[in-house]
Amino acid sequence: MSTTTPFIENQSDKIPNPAATPITVARGDGIGPEIMDATLQILNAAGAALDIHEIEIGAQVYEQGHTSGIAPEAWDSLRKNKVFLKAPITTPQGGGYKSLNVTVRKTLGLFANVRPCVAHDPFVENLHPEMDVVIVRENEEDTYGGIEHQQTDEVAQCLKLITRPGSERICRYAFEYAVANNRKKVSCFTKDNIMKLTDGLFHKVFEEVASEYPEIESEHWIIDIGAAKLSTAPEEFDVIVTPNLYGDILSDIAIQLTGSVGMGGSANIGEGIAMFEAIHGSAPPIAGKNIANPSGLLNAAVMMLVHIGQAEIAEKIQNAWLRTIEDGVHTEDISSEKLTAQQVGTQDFAAAVIERLGQTPQQLKPAKFNTDGPAELNVSIKPTVPATKSMVGVDVFIHWHDVTPDDLGAALEAVSNADLCIKMITNRGVKVWPNGFPETFCTDHWRCRFKSSNDQPVSHQQIIDLLTRLSAAGIDFIKTEHLCLFDGKPAYSLGQGE
Ligand code: NAD
């Protein structure tokens, strides 16, 4: 079977301009091609000096058998140009497909996802006229490692990984961003009242980094109440930094509060490499109808122009766009009887922006970007100082259907010895043995905590011996987690009720 290469390099029929910045562009799926066309027309009309290399990603590439959604050759363009303007793509549901967005972000080390969420009051209907919040989302870690396993008939697991260097880099980026953009406060959102080790690490690192920026106010919110506050009083926030999953959810909600998910652009920043995209997805139901709002991708392109040192062009485009919005020329998603003078399609919206190039908004704040080139943000991280680590036990996870906690406890007492002795069994994190409650619902997935009977350190060999005894007893162990002290402090969670 012959396959066509999905990589199309330098399709521009113009003579390359040596002063132009090479960028990689992907038109994506769904509404992607039409909003990318609109965006590129505006960039071109504004005089952006770009040498465009186009690659194909997304649905067609998946169909050609590349389960990552991107062909190997396309990586060469991304790694060479180091600037990527990307339209949304459709991630196939189910199957072995990984999200290409996550793959690109992680493969290229794009650790920071920056999402400005700004209301354009009184020209676009919104829930909070004063809203002007930038969400800095950690982009590589958390549950987005995509490390998942079905462990028993009844239980699947997703690993949430939070690292000290990852947390330090994103928190430092948030503070550096605040300084460079004259913002006054950085708020950290986590759920460390529940996830004390993972979110607790993120919060702890945030506090450490915050102490190096005394001129910037800092605060921490538990994510649930923080999100509630953001949705009712966003004017109280300035920059928000948060782990990956919370940031993903929060930024969609925040941009929707400004009027439409179609308005927001985002930057994915790595060291020396960056990707710019709309916050929203490929919106398949409205694809090909010429009704999609190209503003999200256009705003991302404006961020890209600032990043590559074409701030004057960025300003020209942003001001023309603001003026278009002010003049009531709106796409369907932001159209309202009261505020819209003319409802237009994607193409006509682009034409309206082009028509206004050179104009500035009359009421909205005109754009003003740093024309000295992009600010250098220092996101260096401190080397990790290894702790003194000692092992004091092991959690063995067991798959056993139709067993009572007492029967399981008895079976595990039979394989215990002085080196490693069963101390506690939990089910879904709740202690069920010894002295569990009959009301507690149990699945077929048991976390069985073994420790030495006299609080002695435990060796790898002792754990291997325990697993050998479990295997000989026909007990199906499915995973182990060592219980360690780091510099003498327990580095594992207690069971609920322990
Ligand atoms: P979506 O953002 O595509 O759509 C959500 C809603 O917003 C829909 O009602 C849609 O019509 C509307 N909308 C989105 N963009 C708009 C625009 N520019 N103008 C007007 N209305 C707009 O989210 P979804 O439906 O959950 O996802 C669709 C596909 O996009 C999925 O395959 C998903 O995996 C993918 N996706 C891709 C990206 C990306 O490429 N960065 C991000 C999110 C989702």
Side-chain angles (χ1 to χ4, degrees):
M1 189 183 72
S2 72
T3 53
T4 51
T5 166
F7 179 56
I8 314 150
E9 189 149 39
N10 206 357
Q11 286 188 319
S12 165
D13 52 8
K14 287 178 282 172
I15 298 161
N17 169 0
T21 306
I23 66 164
T24 301
V25 162
R27 288 172 190 268
D29 303 317
I31 58 171
E34 55 203 288
I35 59 172
M36 183 59 86
D37 275 348
T39 299
L40 292 179
Q41 278 167 27
I42 297 167
L43 295 186
N44 192 32
L50 301 172
D51 177 13
I52 292 174
H53 297 236
E54 202 170 311
I55 59 169
E56 222 178 275
I57 55 168
Q60 286 182 359
V61 183
Y62 284 116
E63 279 158 21
Q64 287 163 7
H66 297 285
T67 52
S68 65
I70 183 165
E73 312 85 87
W75 287 114
D76 298 341
S77 172
L78 293 174
R79 294 176 67 206
K80 187 162 134 242
N81 294 333
K82 301 193 185 311
V83 180
F84 186 21
L85 181 63
K86 179 186 145 299
I89 59 149
T90 304
T91 306
Q93 306 282 309
Y97 301 112
K98 294 293 263 189
S99 158
L100 172 62
N101 296 311
V102 179
T103 302
V104 171
R105 288 172 191 154
K106 294 184 63 164
T107 307
L108 300 180
L110 306 175
F111 66 90
N113 191 324
V114 183
R115 297 180 163 192
C117 302
V118 184
H120 295 91
D121 198 72
F123 302 102
V124 177
E125 273 187 1
N126 62 79
L127 289 169
H128 298 288
E130 303 298 320
M131 183 160 180
D132 180 3
V133 176
V134 178
I135 296 182
V136 176
R137 163 189 169 193
E138 197 290 316
N139 221 10
E140 299 180 283
E141 304 191 342
D142 198 349
T143 48
Y144 286 62
I147 306 174
E148 295 189 297
H149 298 93
Q150 179 170 352
Q151 297 183 310
T152 69
D153 295 309
E154 294 178 343
V155 176
Q157 172 194 265
C158 175
L159 275 190
K160 171 172 166 124
L161 294 174
I162 300 283
T163 72
R164 172 169 271 280
S167 303
E168 185 178 347
R169 200 151 57 150
I170 194 68
C171 289
R172 199 169 286 288
Y173 184 89
F175 281 95
E176 287 279 314
Y177 180 94
V179 172
N181 291 282
N182 201 23
R183 295 210 169 236
K184 307 291 175 223
K185 181 163 86 170
V186 180
S187 310
C188 174
F189 282 22
T190 73
K191 187 75 183 169
D192 68 340
N193 54 334
I194 303 296
M195 284 159 279
K196 295 175 194 295
L197 291 182
T198 48
D199 282 21
L201 174 61
F202 193 95
H203 183 180
K204 183 165 181 279
V205 171
F206 171 79
E207 300 291 350
E208 288 170 14
V209 174
S211 70
E212 296 174 36
Y213 296 84
E215 72 279 23
I216 303 286
E217 191 188 336
S218 64
E219 62 178 14
H220 174 265
W221 287 78
I222 298 290
I223 178 78
D224 39 4
I225 189 63
K229 189 77 175 168
L230 178 68
S231 65
T232 50
E235 62 282 357
E236 292 188 20
F237 296 99
D238 200 351
V239 176
I240 294 174
V241 64
T242 187
N244 206 339
L245 178 61
Y246 309 142
D248 192 0
I249 298 167
L250 215 57
S251 55
D252 272 27
I253 295 172
I255 199 68
Q256 192 66 42
L257 295 176
T258 69
S260 165
V261 74
M263 301 279 277
S266 75
N268 296 266
I269 304 288
E271 291 197 31
I273 186 159
M275 172 171 86
F276 301 86
E277 60 180 345
I279 287 183
H280 60 76
S282 57
I286 60 166
K289 296 186 174 160
N290 188 36
I291 56 174
N293 188 346
S295 299
L297 188 59
L298 183 64
N299 282 326
V302 165
M303 294 167 94
M304 176 191 78
L305 290 172
V306 176
H307 176 82
I308 61 176
Q310 298 188 29
E312 279 167 21
I313 306 287
E315 257 173 44
K316 191 167 156 190
I317 294 173
Q318 183 82 1
N319 284 331
W321 177 76
L322 289 168
R323 184 61 181 266
T324 308
I325 297 288
E326 266 188 3
D327 286 349
V329 182
H330 295 164
T331 44
E332 189 183 82
D333 57 314
I334 56 167
S335 174
S336 80
E337 222 169 273
K338 218 166 72 202
L339 303 174
T340 302
Q342 191 190 357
Q343 185 182 310
V344 292
T346 314
Q347 267 301 316
D348 286 346
F349 183 83
V353 175
I354 291 169
E355 222 175 270
R356 288 165 177 77
L357 286 168
Q359 298 183 31
T360 48
Q362 294 178 311
Q363 288 186 54
L364 293 169
K365 201 167 101 197
K368 187 86 202 106
F369 300 119
N370 186 356
T371 46
D372 301 336
E376 290 274 316
L377 305 189
N378 172 14
V379 289
S380 56
I381 44 183
K382 297 197 183 89
T384 303
V385 182
T388 304
K389 178 176 153 186
S390 60
M391 208 148 59
V392 294
V394 61
D395 279 348
V396 181
F397 290 76
I398 284 170
H399 178 189
W400 194 331
H401 191 60
D402 271 350
V403 68
T404 65
D406 284 345
D407 287 348
L408 180 58
L412 297 178
E413 278 178 319
V415 297
S416 294
N417 63 19
D419 295 338
L420 280 168
C421 168
I422 183 70
K423 297 283 185 190
M424 175 190 73
I425 302 172
T426 68
N427 198 294
R428 297 189 303 169
V430 183
K431 189 183 77 156
V432 292
W433 183 94
N435 308 321
F437 284 18
E439 291 84 357
T440 306
F441 178 77
C442 290
T443 67
D444 57 0
H445 181 275
W446 309 87
R447 189 254 308 254
C448 308
R449 177 158 290 178
F450 291 84
K451 287 181 158 178
S452 85
S453 55
N454 45 10
D455 278 340
Q456 288 301 301
V458 169
S459 69
H460 283 120
Q461 190 56 53
Q462 286 166 339
I463 293 173
I464 293 166
D465 292 345
L466 170 66
L467 297 181
T468 306
R469 295 196 296 278
L470 285 166
S471 174
I475 295 173
D476 181 10
F477 59 86
I478 49 177
K479 120 176 173 148
T480 56
E481 292 284 356
H482 298 173
L483 307 177
C484 295
L485 307 181
F486 281 76
D487 287 338
K489 286 196 205 115
Y492 49 89
S493 59
L494 297 178
Q496 270 146 9
E498 188 178 3

